[in-house]
């Protein structure tokens, strides 16, 4: 199943289910509250309960002793090596596309934002899984800071690594996953800074999706209204290359 939604269609859906609320909607203050990005995930939760359910979280004693790296274990490009050498001091995460305020965030800035910690199970299509404790910034906070446009339907995650065929790894998610409370930009795994093998300095955790959606080595997040024209047009490296499902919900 693949749902094509933006914030407005979702809110309209939510409003439709709230019959008898017209009077409330006519009130300007209420309207502002309804349409503020800060409150978006709450509304998504009400209108699309299944999509917005929380992924299971585990206890510390259930953490896997080793979180196996998969796919690229080191981007190893000249650009990435230079960033790594400086301890990622010169690395920036760009927020671009359909946003009111494009951002360029340093690791220090991301560290200064509120964090979330979650112990979750990562499931790879190749048939293995691992439980890890992730720490990072809720993606919704960054999207609110960038004043994402109502026209945005997807976020595209651009990575630092090139794959065997020379194409860059990338992924994309819709707004339901973007504003999900467990969707974070993670910079730590098991209480240590993210290792290169697991996506340093920053990776996506999108816990209701299979492993390949969790883009590592993040460089840029672009808000777009269509995925056509990006990469092969199917929304991700493996979607383009091997016909993996774009919607890989678990
Ligand atoms: N940039 C980038 N992100 C990526 C990959 C990759 O090769 N490059 N592999 C994906 C796959 S298939 C999986 S299962 C997970 C593996 O994450 P890990 O290396 O921390 O185990 O990262 C995903 N994100
Ligand atoms: Mo995977």
């Amino acid at each position: 199943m693949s749902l094509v939604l933006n914030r407005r269609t979702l809110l309209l859906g939510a409003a439709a289910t709230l019959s008898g609320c017209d009077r409330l909607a006519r009130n300007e203050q209420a309207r502002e509250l309804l349409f503020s990005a800060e409150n978006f995930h709450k509304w998504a939760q009400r209108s699309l309960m299944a999509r917005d359910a929380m992924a299971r979280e585990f206890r510390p004693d259930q953490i896997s002793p080793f979180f196996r790296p998969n796919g690229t274990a080191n981007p190893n490009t000249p650009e990435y090596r230079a960033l790594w050498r400086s301890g990622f001091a010169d690395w920036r995460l760009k927020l671009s596309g359909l946003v009111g305020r494009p951002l360029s965030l340093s690791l220090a800035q991301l560290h200064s934002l509120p964090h979330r910690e979650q112990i979750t199970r990562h499931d790879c299509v190749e048939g293995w899984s691992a439980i890890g404790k992730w720490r990072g910034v809720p993606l919704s906070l960054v999207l609110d800071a960038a004043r994402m446009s109502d026209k945005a339907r997807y976020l595209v995650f651009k990575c630092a690594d090139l794959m065997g065929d020379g194409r860059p790894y990338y992924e994309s998610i819709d707004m339901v996953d973007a504003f999900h409370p467990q969707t974070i930009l993670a910079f730590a795994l098991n209480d240590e800074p993210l290792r290169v093998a697991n996506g340093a300095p920053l990776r996506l955790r999108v816990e209701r999706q299979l492993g390949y959606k969790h883009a590592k080595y993040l460089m840029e997040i672009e808000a777009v209204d269509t995925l056509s024209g990006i990469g092969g047009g199917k929304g991700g490296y493996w979607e383009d290359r091997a016909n993996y499902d774009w919607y890989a919900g678990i």
Side-chain angles (χ1 to χ4, degrees), residues 70-71 122-126 128 169 210-212 238 244:
N70 200 39
H122 178 100
D123 295 311
C124 174
V125 274
E126 290 165 24
W128 58 273
Y169 199 93
L210 286 172
Y212 61 89
W238 287 115
Y244 281 22

Side-chain angles (χ1 to χ4, degrees), residues 67-72 122 124 126 128 134 159 161 163 169 197-198 203 211-212 214-217 238:
F67 200 100
R68 167 188 161 163
N70 200 39
T72 303
H122 178 100
C124 174
E126 290 165 24
W128 58 273
W134 301 97
C159 308
D161 54 325
M163 302 300 280
Y169 199 93
N198 299 111
R203 76 161 321 150
Y212 61 89
H214 301 234
K216 307 197 280 187
Y217 316 113
W238 287 115

Side-chain angles (χ1 to χ4, degrees), residues 58-80:
F58 295 79
R59 298 187 311 270
D61 61 282
Q62 294 174 298
I63 292 173
S64 306
F66 177 64
F67 200 100
R68 167 188 161 163
N70 200 39
T72 303
N74 187 338
N76 225 349
T77 63
E79 295 79 15
Y80 184 84

Side-chain angles (χ1 to χ4, degrees), residues 203-232:
R203 76 161 321 150
L204 176 66
R205 293 300 308 170
V206 51
E207 304 292 354
R208 299 291 312 280
Q209 299 276 339
L210 286 172
Y212 61 89
K213 302 295 289 186
H214 301 234
K216 307 197 280 187
Y217 316 113
L218 292 180
M219 299 300 292
E220 183 172 351
I221 302 175
E222 187 184 357
V224 298
D225 60 0
T226 172
L227 295 172
S228 70
I230 296 162

